[in-house]
């Protein structure tokens, strides 16, 4: 074990018995290896051993050398927000349904932890997006995202009318339920359900995927990752929209408001088990390649 690894943090919905049980086992393993373990004092941490020291959530990244997220991809996205402004790496223990980001299963818990502490995990830098919602009435709201930034209608039965620009150039005028701007990481999330492409996370690109467009020719497009996107909500009609970053509400968007999206200039480091293969992950989660095991190397 590298001598530098002395403190880690665990993150999860510990009110869930499955998460709490996994956390207890994990904390026991970490303590047996001589590590100090931190947990957010704002969480329901009563089920955790007393050896897990409670600190403010905002202090977790500053006080730890790595973070372990226990749960599904939503939990890992929450943990990513905690470490976004630091170089603290993040490992995900999968207790969710799909687990594109949390790729250590319960059965591999001990082996995954050993690989992490021995420095054998695969480090994977994932770029972040930043959204800036600028209101005509004044004020700016902003937030970062690892997966996607979503513009979505608020009223049932009403279409949103909005237009998009990329790097100052007009792209299209849209009518529909909204728009998803996804990173390569987020291409397997909400954007996938809207017909967006699966993007290898090694590519620095963004996906613009309309949500339920009224015009069938309004299709997802892929643009460079350093692009600056502007979304303007048109005054026509009475449709209001909401903007969310990785599922967390940023704010309400009114006609005349402007949403700016671009690279945040920061990244999150994900840790994967040794032998990590993105295409093997896709085959596992999407049930590809049945009967094709003989082709694996």
């Amino acid at each position: 074990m590298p001598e530098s690894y002395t403190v880690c943090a665990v993150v999860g919905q510990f009110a869930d018995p499955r998460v709490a049980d996994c956390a207890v086992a994990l904390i026991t393993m970490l303590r047996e290896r001589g590590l100090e373990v931190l947990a957010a004092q704002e969480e329901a941490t009563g089920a955790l051993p007393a050896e897990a020291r409670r600190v403010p959530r905002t202090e977790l990244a500053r006080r730890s050398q790595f973070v372990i997220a226990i749960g599904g991809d939503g939990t890992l996205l929450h943990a990513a927000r905690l470490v976004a402004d630091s170089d603290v790496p993040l490992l995900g223990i999968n207790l969710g349904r799909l687990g594109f980001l949390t790729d250590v299963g319960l059965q591999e818990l001990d082996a995954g932890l050993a690989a992490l502490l021995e420095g054998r995990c695969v480090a994977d830098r994932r770029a972040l997006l930043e959204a800036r919602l600028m209101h005509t009435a004044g004020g700016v709201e902003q937030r970062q995202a690892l997966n996607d930034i979503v513009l979505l209608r608020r009223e049932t039965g009403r279409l949103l009318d909005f237009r998009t620009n990329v790097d100052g150039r007009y792209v299209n005028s849209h009518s529909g339920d909204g728009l998803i701007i996804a990173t390569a990481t987020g291409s397997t999330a909400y954007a996938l359900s809207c017909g967006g492409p699966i993007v290898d996370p090694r590519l620095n690109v963004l996906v613009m995927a309309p949500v339920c467009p009224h015009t069938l020719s309004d299709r997802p497009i892929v643009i460079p990752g350093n692009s600056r996107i502007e979304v303007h909500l048109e005054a026509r009609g009475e449709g209001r929209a909401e903007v969310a970053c990785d599922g967390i509400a940023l704010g309400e968007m009114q006609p005349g408001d402007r949403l700016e999206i671009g690279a945040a200039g920061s990244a999150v480091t994900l840790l994967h088990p040794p032998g990590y293969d993105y295409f093997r992950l896709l085959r596992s989660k999407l049930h590809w390649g049945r009967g094709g095991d003989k082709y694996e190397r």
Side-chain angles (χ1 to χ4, degrees):
M1 181 179 74
E3 293 182 359
S4 59
Y5 284 159
T6 58
V7 185
C8 76
V10 292
V11 175
Q13 298 292 331
F14 302 123
D16 183 333
R18 293 179 63 242
V19 175
D21 289 346
C22 180
V24 169
L26 178 65
I27 291 169
T28 300
M29 294 178 188
L30 290 165
R31 293 294 296 157
E32 287 174 350
R33 290 166 169 83
L35 275 79
E36 181 182 9
V37 181
L38 308 180
Q41 65 186 21
E42 295 89 347
E43 303 289 346
T45 55
L48 300 187
E51 291 84 359
R53 186 156 66 94
R54 278 64 167 175
V55 301
R57 183 187 292 112
T58 56
E59 294 288 310
L60 285 178
R62 186 180 67 82
R63 297 192 185 191
S64 61
Q65 293 160 307
F66 62 90
V67 174
I68 300 178
I70 306 170
D73 284 349
T75 300
L76 189 133
L77 291 174
H78 167 68
R81 289 190 289 274
L82 299 179
V83 303
D85 295 320
S86 69
D87 291 324
V88 176
L90 182 57
L91 178 74
I93 307 298
N94 182 32
L95 297 180
R97 290 173 296 175
L98 279 178
F100 279 101
L101 300 175
T102 51
D103 51 7
V104 176
L106 278 178
Q107 298 82 358
E108 300 90 35
L109 184 59
D110 189 64
L113 181 59
L116 186 156
L117 298 178
E118 293 166 8
R120 295 186 287 110
C121 281
V122 178
D124 182 7
R125 294 281 284 176
R126 301 290 182 93
L128 297 171
L129 280 178
E130 183 175 67
R132 300 179 74 244
L133 179 54
M134 310 176 76
H135 300 284
T136 54
V140 177
E141 299 172 278
Q142 60 188 65
R143 188 185 292 273
Q144 293 183 348
L146 175 60
N147 259 0
D148 49 37
I149 295 166
V150 178
L151 171 76
L152 205 61
R153 64 182 173 87
R154 296 197 64 182
E155 284 92 357
T156 301
R158 294 182 182 273
L159 294 176
L160 285 182
D161 293 301
F162 58 96
R163 73 178 189 276
T164 51
N165 290 51
V166 173
D167 294 330
R169 295 175 295 172
Y170 169 68
V171 177
N172 196 7
S173 294
H174 312 258
S175 287
D177 283 359
L179 180 71
I180 301 167
I181 308 298
T183 62
T185 299
S187 68
T188 51
Y190 194 178
L192 186 62
S193 71
C194 296
I198 295 175
V199 180
D200 190 312
R202 293 172 295 180
L203 297 177
N204 181 26
V205 296
L206 301 176
V207 175
M208 297 175 61
V211 181
C212 296
H214 188 259
T215 303
L216 295 180
S217 62
D218 193 358
R219 308 303 302 160
I221 61 174
V222 178
I223 60 176
N226 61 355
S227 301
R228 300 295 301 180
I229 302 165
E230 290 185 9
V231 182
H232 300 261
L233 195 59
E234 303 284 13
R236 183 178 58 163
E238 300 178 1
R240 294 180 301 158
E242 185 131 71
V243 179
C245 302
D246 283 347
I248 302 298
L250 174 63
E252 183 178 316
M253 191 171 180
Q254 300 279 2
D257 291 349
R258 183 170 81 253
L259 175 64
E260 295 183 354
I261 300 168
S266 56
V268 169
T269 299
L270 303 181
L271 296 176
H272 304 293
Y276 170 75
D277 182 335
Y278 181 67
F279 298 110
R280 183 183 297 128
L281 177 70
L282 290 180
R283 289 195 300 274
S284 171
K285 304 303 179 183
L286 301 178
H287 306 291
W288 288 356
R290 294 181 178 178
D293 294 345
K294 60 185 177 182
Y295 300 115
E296 291 197 43
R297 297 179 180 178

